Amino acid sequence: MKRLLIQHGRVIDPASRLDRVMNLLVIDGRIAAYDAHPSPHDELIDATGKIVCPGLIDMHVHLREPGREEDETIYTGTAAALAGGFTAVACMPNTEPPLDTQATVEFIQHQAERANHCHVYVIACVSKNREGKELAELGQLVQAGAVGFSDDGAPVYDAELMRRAFEYALMFDKPILNHEEVRELTHGGVMHEGLVSLLLGLPGMPACAEEVMISRDIALAETTGGKLHVLHVSTAGSVELIRQAKARGIRVTTEICPHHFTLTDDNLRTFDANYKMSPPLRARHDIEACLAGLVDGTIEVICTDHAPHAPEKKMRELDQAPFGILGLETCLPLVITHLIEPGILDWPTALAKLTCNPARILNIPKGTLAIGADADITIIDPDVHWTYDVHQSRSRSRNSPYHGWEFRGRAEKVIVMGQVKYRWNG
């Protein structure tokens, strides 16, 4: 019998509405008891002054394997996840080949098991080969273990296909996660369309490109009763559309990435491709609307859209460089430094968006420290000051705009099924 006792930490479990200083006992990989006293056989962890919470869950990452191992592998991506405090990630299907068959889903599961870092859940394709022409075999993909469906990297463009996807996914109670973009409106764009793009002479991607497709998907979700999850929301108009849809009882959820509440289109004045995202960094008023959405619960998930690209790809000219940045190792520090420390969110609310809320949307048995739950635990030092060095990243890529940023707070220890998988050594 393997026993682990985490002592004197501030245990915050939003799923159980738990927030107090206590001891947490783990036996054989499961949460066994609160307020336990140490025994001679316990492995002890002193968490005095630390926050003990359910292992963080990132429901939007790109692990690149199979097909683009020069950018990331499941081994390196999940190592980066641990270093960021995540005990579970859900990977997107825009690999090469795409994750549209039972065999590809099982390949991801096998590689994750070999890596032996954190849990990896699979978001499988909506359409075969992500071509948007024919539905993938959703039932077989669920049977293989898929927890949701998306053609991420691209929108599900055909409205009839999207409607049928909602209807079929309802049979398995799975969400459709859509990259919301009307590509006729963004073609050739490299940044948000606004005053800054006008001044820089760079082609823009208007906010309405996101908002038009969200409007369509909300209408389809309302018609079918399907579960819509809006990926990486970024505009004020989008937040308001989702807020109104929720008020009407439509089954819609959404997420935001830290770069969409910490950076603006003004950062593109550097012409640094590490600020090139899709959806793009938006204007200040969009950031403020997203923060309001986080506060009032319209946005219930914080995720990373971790998108590694090998250095030679991001060093291309701005119009040639791919979209996206690393995110797994900077998400939690950005949340602490830019949401919790300024008082925008309190700890339980912020942690809910990183634990139980993504678990609920994906319907996975994670995100809680309830008695009997899997002992996936993140121990956070909320006070440590440190500087992010992307060259120390566990990811295979280095594309981050946060290199050299000073943060407060980070994951200190990460425990998966009762085993300490990561320790930060300062």
Side-chain angles (χ1 to χ4, degrees):
M1 182 181 296
K2 181 175 174 53
R3 295 169 59 100
L4 172 68
L5 186 66
I6 303 168
Q7 296 179 293
H8 313 306
R10 177 185 172 188
V11 178
I12 302 177
D13 179 17
S16 304
R17 299 182 181 276
L18 187 65
D19 183 0
R20 62 185 172 91
V21 175
M22 65 178 185
N23 294 347
L24 189 67
L25 178 64
V26 173
I27 298 179
D28 290 341
R30 293 188 179 277
I31 306 298
Y34 305 145
D35 300 313
H37 296 290
S39 79
H41 304 294
D42 289 347
E43 176 185 351
L44 301 177
I45 292 178
D46 182 5
T48 303
K50 308 298 191 297
I51 288 170
V52 180
C53 67
L56 308 186
I57 300 168
D58 188 346
M59 65 181 291
H60 189 167
V61 305
H62 299 270
L63 295 178
R64 301 306 192 200
E65 187 180 1
R68 288 174 53 186
E69 288 81 358
E70 72 277 15
D71 297 329
E72 194 76 285
T73 65
I74 291 171
Y75 186 92
T76 58
T78 52
L82 286 177
F86 293 95
T87 59
V89 300
C91 64
M92 288 295 164
N94 55 334
T95 51
E96 298 172 4
L99 307 181
D100 64 351
T101 65
Q102 283 185 303
T104 51
V105 173
E106 289 166 359
F107 170 80
I108 299 295
Q109 294 166 338
H110 176 67
Q111 291 297 86
E113 188 175 342
R114 287 183 62 187
N116 194 27
H117 287 149
C118 66
H119 305 286
V120 176
Y121 295 94
V122 177
I123 307 294
C125 292
V126 170
S127 66
K128 291 182 178 178
N129 206 34
R130 292 179 58 245
E131 292 178 339
K133 297 176 181 176
E134 185 179 358
L135 273 184
E137 299 290 347
L138 304 191
Q140 292 182 15
L141 292 166
V142 170
Q143 196 171 32
V147 296
F149 300 101
S150 178
D151 280 351
D152 188 33
V156 178
Y157 203 79
D158 185 287
E160 171 61 11
L161 188 80
M162 187 67 165
R163 182 179 71 88
R164 289 194 288 120
F166 275 129
E167 292 171 344
Y168 275 98
L170 262 178
M171 297 169 60
F172 315 103
D173 197 29
K174 301 296 182 188
I176 304 295
L177 303 84
N178 204 19
H179 174 107
E180 308 286 0
E181 178 183 353
V182 177
R183 293 205 154 166
E184 291 94 333
L185 295 170
T186 61
H187 180 70
V190 299
M191 65 175 295
H192 172 64
E193 182 179 282
L195 178 60
V196 180
S197 67
L198 182 66
L199 291 172
L200 297 179
L202 293 172
M205 304 165 75
C208 65
E210 179 175 306
E211 294 156 5
V212 168
M213 189 157 280
I214 289 177
S215 297
R216 182 205 73 170
D217 287 348
I218 287 172
L220 292 172
E222 184 171 24
T223 298
T224 61
K227 296 170 70 173
L228 168 66
H229 181 74
V230 174
L231 295 170
H232 40 46
V233 71
S234 71
T235 79
S238 298
V239 174
E240 183 57 28
L241 285 166
I242 294 164
R243 182 180 288 121
Q244 292 176 10
K246 284 175 177 287
R248 298 205 307 274
I250 300 169
R251 302 172 79 189
V252 56
T253 55
T254 193
E255 64 185 35
I256 192 169
C257 305
H259 47 268
H260 284 130
F261 60 76
T262 58
L263 303 172
T264 71
D265 57 346
D266 214 43
N267 293 102
L268 261 297
R269 290 178 185 272
T270 62
F271 287 89
D272 182 347
N274 285 323
Y275 294 103
K276 182 181 177 185
M277 331 279 187
S278 178
L281 301 176
R282 299 293 186 182
R284 174 54 59 186
H285 77 277
D286 293 302
I287 309 302
E288 292 169 356
C290 288
L291 291 173
L294 279 164
V295 171
D296 71 12
T298 301
I299 302 171
E300 55 273 87
V301 170
I302 298 171
C303 64
T304 68
D305 190 11
H306 177 78
H309 296 287
E312 63 270 20
K313 297 178 182 177
K314 269 294 191 181
M315 289 175 66
R316 295 174 186 163
E317 298 290 327
L318 196 58
D319 61 336
Q320 298 296 317
F323 294 99
I325 61 167
L326 303 182
L328 285 165
E329 292 165 295
T330 51
C331 179
L332 177 62
L334 286 165
V335 168
I336 297 171
T337 306
H338 292 271
L339 296 181
I340 297 175
E341 283 299 313
I344 296 170
L345 297 180
D346 58 24
W347 274 100
T349 304
L351 289 176
K353 297 175 191 296
L354 289 160
T355 59
C356 57
N357 289 356
R360 171 177 50 81
I361 292 166
L362 295 178
N363 193 25
I364 58 176
K366 298 292 181 183
T368 179
L369 297 178
I371 302 297
D374 291 342
D376 295 340
I377 302 167
T378 301
I379 300 177
I380 300 169
D381 185 336
D383 298 317
V384 63
H385 291 263
W386 64 290
T387 302
Y388 177 59
D389 181 354
V390 72
H391 303 295
Q392 302 298 316
S393 173
R394 285 155 179 79
S395 172
R396 181 161 281 186
S397 293
R398 294 291 180 264
N399 52 311
S400 172
Y402 298 113
H403 174 64
W405 279 42
E406 294 183 358
F407 293 126
R408 182 172 180 179
R410 60 165 300 140
E412 183 182 88
K413 294 183 178 66
V414 181
I415 298 164
V416 181
M417 299 300 289
Q419 296 185 32
V420 179
K421 293 286 188 177
Y422 173 80
R423 298 174 190 267
W424 185 57
N425 297 316

